[in-house]
Amino acid sequence: MKNSIKYITVIFGLVCLWSCSLDEPLISETDRKTIFSTEGGIKSYSYSLYSGLPSLDDVFYKEDACVDYCMATSYSTFYLDGAYDPEKTTSWSWTGLRRINYFIDALRSDDCTVSDDVKAHYLALGKWFRAYFYYGKLTSYGDVPWFEHLISSTNEKEMYKDRDSRDVVVKHMIDDLDDAYKNLKTTESVGNSLVSKYAALLLKARICLFEASWMKYHNTTSKLFTSEDLYKLAADAANKLMTSGKFSIHTAAGSKGAYRSLWYSTEIQTDEVILGLCTDPSYGIYNSANYHFNSGSYGNGDCMSRAFANTYLNTDGTTFTSKDSYTTIPFSKEFTGRDLRLAQTVKSPNYSMTSGTSSDLIPDIIHMVAATGYHIIKFSLDDVKYNNTSKNINSMPLMRYAEALLIYAEAKAELGEMTDAIWQDTIGKLRKRAGITAGLTTLPVTVDPYMQQMFYPNVTDPVIMEVRRERAIELFFEGFRNVDVKRWAEGHLYQDLPWTGIHIPALDTAVDINGNGKEDYYFSMKSASEIPASHKNYYVQILPEDSTEQGLRAIPNPAGGYDLEFRLALKRIWYPDDRQYLTPVPPQIIREYRDKGYTLSQNPVWDKL
């Protein structure tokens, strides 16, 4: 753990010195010779590359306000009708790549006088970070310029080159990661906080799966690959990781359950976590998960929708939505006999957050911290003392073995090569940890109508459908959902998936939500001044169905009672022209190219707006 903190400290110091300019000098030639002439100097400089990874807070912010299956009080303008302005796009930055290519070029220069083995290891590390950097660009913009070397300010033609096709970029990333897997010496580290050869396998599998499904579901072609080629590469990389014997699914339950303990522990669970982000209070390194998910002022009100909560299976392997009464099952009984991950992801009726000698048991609907009632706890600690500070002491996984199983399962399903044995070794293992007892060893044979109607209307293969169910549940809010929805060409979900909440029996009546005999909420369309004094402390305002204000509605359920639903003031939108599958290149950057006499192409539709 101490080593991890040292890495972070060095990184922070170096990052403070860099700007966003593509051609600004990094360090002097004299300093470069000093740094790259010894392994110690190279090692110290290599820590700066880690600033390209998400921070401890970014782990859960990555999904913040930009996914379909979670409600947020402040949603990304990219998905709000008429709210997005391309002129404000700011993510076309190449600072991280400049730092990486400087490192790679320096290692290849005469200034680097270390042994070939040492040089090969650090070149491999630089290439891993370059692939990681470009994956972010690919998922945002599609085509992007590939820069193999550090760009000199005198080489204007190279600096202002147009975008390379996405298949060229993918080919470069695969080559970089093949080299990383071959030459990286790191196989483990304290908290697995350093990039290893296994992280190279997983990143390659991730990239190949992304591009394979993008090609298939967006009906694109490539001169370099078919979607089948890429699915096979994804499966091969994932399988190498699986057969390495280095990692396994973490099954030690602890006090919080095996799944949640991956995020609850101060120490990284290195049996499953391939790359981790470590906290260390002695160095002042924390995360702010509690502050984010339990504060109405600091957080974004992120909470799960009931539409998604319904996808968690029963422990006997059946679907929750196969019950005739599933739409009116109260919160107090929703978690009974369900996939254990549900209660380890959001507050259940039995949840307890300590506060001195008392406990906080209910989702915070009153302050709109979790307006749907599905209050996220996956990343938090169960002590209220962390709620108004940024001092969480739990470490965070960044890459874990479960993703490899999901990639292998999806690639094999898409290739039509899924078998009972593969199912048992992938989806079966994940569901077994979640307490599910049936359907672990044989392939599903029917498509769940709820999943098809609510999420994926064009999926008719029951295996692919169940892999998608499992991926969304297992990787909930870990930064994958936005990319998954887009690579599967399911953008309609940003607009169509309702932000539904818990079922309530009535309005203007005190409600005991968790069945402990205590009144928890008083839902009413009346104003606060009209609420009886005895109920004011737990009053929740319900807006009329036709209101244009942001807040909760109570939708009458045909079977009785009401279903909560949260709506924003602005309408969520997915434009019929599908422009939102790719982020526009910032227009100001295109103008800069034009002013210099060069051309930078824009993404489809955005170039016509």
Side-chain angles (χ1 to χ4, degrees), residues 268-541:
I268 289 290
Q269 306 294 342
T270 54
D271 53 347
E272 178 169 341
V273 178
I274 296 168
L275 184 60
L277 301 173
C278 303
T279 59
D280 193 324
S282 66
Y283 281 86
I285 305 299
Y286 304 98
N287 75 70
S288 59
N290 275 57
Y291 203 7
H292 179 79
F293 290 108
N294 293 285
S295 169
S297 58
Y298 181 79
N300 196 37
D302 301 301
C303 53
M304 186 186 292
S305 71
R306 180 162 185 165
F308 182 70
N310 287 340
T311 68
Y312 285 72
L313 297 174
N314 299 317
T315 53
D316 64 5
T318 61
T319 61
F320 176 70
T321 52
S322 63
K323 298 179 180 180
D324 292 338
S325 61
Y326 83 89
T327 64
T328 57
I329 291 177
F331 182 81
S332 61
K333 297 181 179 180
E334 270 191 84
F335 294 74
T336 303
R338 298 288 295 281
D339 182 325
L340 298 178
R341 288 172 295 189
L342 182 57
Q344 293 176 38
T345 301
V346 298
K347 287 185 179 182
S348 71
N350 296 320
Y351 177 78
S352 176
M353 176 176 277
T354 61
S355 176
T357 58
S358 62
S359 297
D360 177 14
L361 302 173
I362 63 171
D364 193 348
I365 300 175
I366 297 170
H367 302 103
M368 293 291 107
V369 174
T372 64
Y374 299 97
H375 192 147
I376 298 172
I377 60 168
K378 178 174 175 176
F379 308 96
S380 302
L381 296 174
D382 298 335
D383 193 322
V384 74
K385 73 180 182 182
Y386 296 105
N387 285 0
N388 294 308
T389 68
S390 296
K391 291 189 175 181
N392 273 52
I393 60 174
N394 49 320
S395 295
M396 296 284 175
L398 186 59
M399 301 180 80
R400 58 192 183 94
Y401 183 66
E403 184 192 353
L405 300 188
L406 290 163
I407 290 173
Y408 190 63
E410 183 176 344
K412 286 297 189 179
E414 292 286 3
L415 289 166
E417 298 175 357
M418 177 66 82
T419 64
D420 287 345
I422 294 173
W423 178 267
Q424 181 176 355
D425 286 342
T426 56
I427 306 303
K429 284 186 176 180
L430 295 173
R431 290 185 174 177
K432 184 177 180 180
R433 173 170 66 183
I436 296 171
T437 58
L440 305 181
T441 60
T442 56
L443 297 176
V445 295
T446 58
V447 173
D448 178 6
Y450 177 84
M451 290 288 292
Q452 193 172 56
Q453 177 184 351
M454 188 65 69
F455 290 90
Y456 314 115
N458 298 317
V459 175
T460 58
D461 185 319
V463 177
I464 291 175
M465 185 70 82
E466 289 307 307
V467 170
R468 290 192 183 185
R469 182 204 302 271
E470 189 63 25
R471 183 175 175 89
I473 290 172
E474 177 66 28
L475 301 179
F476 177 81
F477 226 69
E478 292 181 49
F480 295 94
R481 183 62 178 178
N482 185 284
V483 171
D484 286 346
V485 167
K486 291 181 179 179
R487 68 185 175 90
W488 293 329
E490 300 286 0
H492 66 93
L493 290 169
Y494 288 100
Q495 174 179 293
D496 299 339
L497 192 66
W499 284 350
T500 45
I502 62 174
H503 179 76
I504 59 175
L507 298 177
D508 299 311
T509 301
V511 176
D512 171 15
I513 200 67
N514 54 8
N516 67 350
K518 178 183 176 182
E519 296 177 348
D520 299 311
Y521 306 114
Y522 187 88
F523 298 99
S524 179
M525 289 189 183
K526 298 176 182 177
S527 65
S529 62
E530 300 176 279
I531 302 302
S534 58
H535 301 319
K536 284 186 182 294
N537 288 340
Y538 45 92
Y539 157 68
V540 178
Q541 184 182 26

Side-chain angles (χ1 to χ4, degrees), residues 239-251:
N239 188 52
K240 283 181 180 177
L241 183 53
M242 292 164 60
T243 57
S244 70
K246 184 67 178 178
F247 299 95
S248 61
I249 292 301
H250 180 71
T251 57

Side-chain angles (χ1 to χ4, degrees), residues 113-374:
T113 56
V114 298
S115 69
D116 289 344
D117 284 349
V118 171
K119 186 183 300 185
H121 166 75
Y122 284 104
L123 277 170
L125 181 65
K127 290 180 178 181
W128 187 95
F129 277 101
R130 184 162 63 186
Y132 188 90
F133 174 89
Y134 264 106
Y135 178 62
K137 293 298 185 187
L138 177 73
T139 57
S140 294
Y141 297 102
D143 297 350
V144 287
W146 177 269
F147 296 110
E148 182 72 18
H149 301 284
L150 186 67
I151 300 171
S152 169
S153 59
T154 60
N155 190 350
E156 193 173 86
K157 183 176 181 180
E158 179 67 14
M159 183 184 300
Y160 289 101
K161 65 178 289 188
D162 200 357
R163 302 191 293 168
D164 290 295
S165 63
R166 59 188 301 142
D167 57 349
V168 168
V169 175
V170 169
K171 178 62 167 61
H172 281 303
M173 287 192 289
I174 290 172
D175 289 345
D176 274 356
L177 290 169
D178 284 344
D179 184 79
Y181 174 64
K182 178 182 178 181
N183 291 305
L184 270 171
K185 295 180 181 178
T186 305
T187 57
E188 60 184 22
S189 57
V190 177
N192 281 348
S193 57
L194 295 180
V195 170
S196 68
K197 64 192 304 96
Y198 303 110
L201 283 176
L202 186 51
L203 184 56
K204 178 182 177 180
R206 181 187 295 180
I207 290 169
C208 290
L209 182 75
F210 170 81
E211 193 62 12
S213 50
W214 185 278
M215 290 180 67
K216 176 178 179 177
Y217 290 104
H218 291 263
N219 297 311
T220 63
T221 58
S222 161
K223 294 179 180 179
L224 301 178
F225 309 101
T226 64
S227 61
E228 185 178 81
D229 292 335
L230 290 166
Y231 277 127
K232 288 179 177 178
L233 287 173
D236 179 66
N239 188 52
K240 283 181 180 177
L241 183 53
M242 292 164 60
T243 57
S244 70
K246 184 67 178 178
F247 299 95
S248 61
I249 292 301
H250 180 71
T251 57
S255 61
K256 302 299 175 182
Y259 178 73
R260 191 175 174 215
S261 67
L262 288 164
W263 293 271
Y264 202 89
S265 175
T266 304
E267 303 293 331
I268 289 290
Q269 306 294 342
T270 54
D271 53 347
E272 178 169 341
V273 178
I274 296 168
L275 184 60
L277 301 173
C278 303
T279 59
D280 193 324
S282 66
Y283 281 86
I285 305 299
Y286 304 98
N287 75 70
S288 59
N290 275 57
Y291 203 7
H292 179 79
F293 290 108
N294 293 285
S295 169
S297 58
Y298 181 79
N300 196 37
D302 301 301
C303 53
M304 186 186 292
S305 71
R306 180 162 185 165
F308 182 70
N310 287 340
T311 68
Y312 285 72
L313 297 174
N314 299 317
T315 53
D316 64 5
T318 61
T319 61
F320 176 70
T321 52
S322 63
K323 298 179 180 180
D324 292 338
S325 61
Y326 83 89
T327 64
T328 57
I329 291 177
F331 182 81
S332 61
K333 297 181 179 180
E334 270 191 84
F335 294 74
T336 303
R338 298 288 295 281
D339 182 325
L340 298 178
R341 288 172 295 189
L342 182 57
Q344 293 176 38
T345 301
V346 298
K347 287 185 179 182
S348 71
N350 296 320
Y351 177 78
S352 176
M353 176 176 277
T354 61
S355 176
T357 58
S358 62
S359 297
D360 177 14
L361 302 173
I362 63 171
D364 193 348
I365 300 175
I366 297 170
H367 302 103
M368 293 291 107
V369 174
T372 64
Y374 299 97

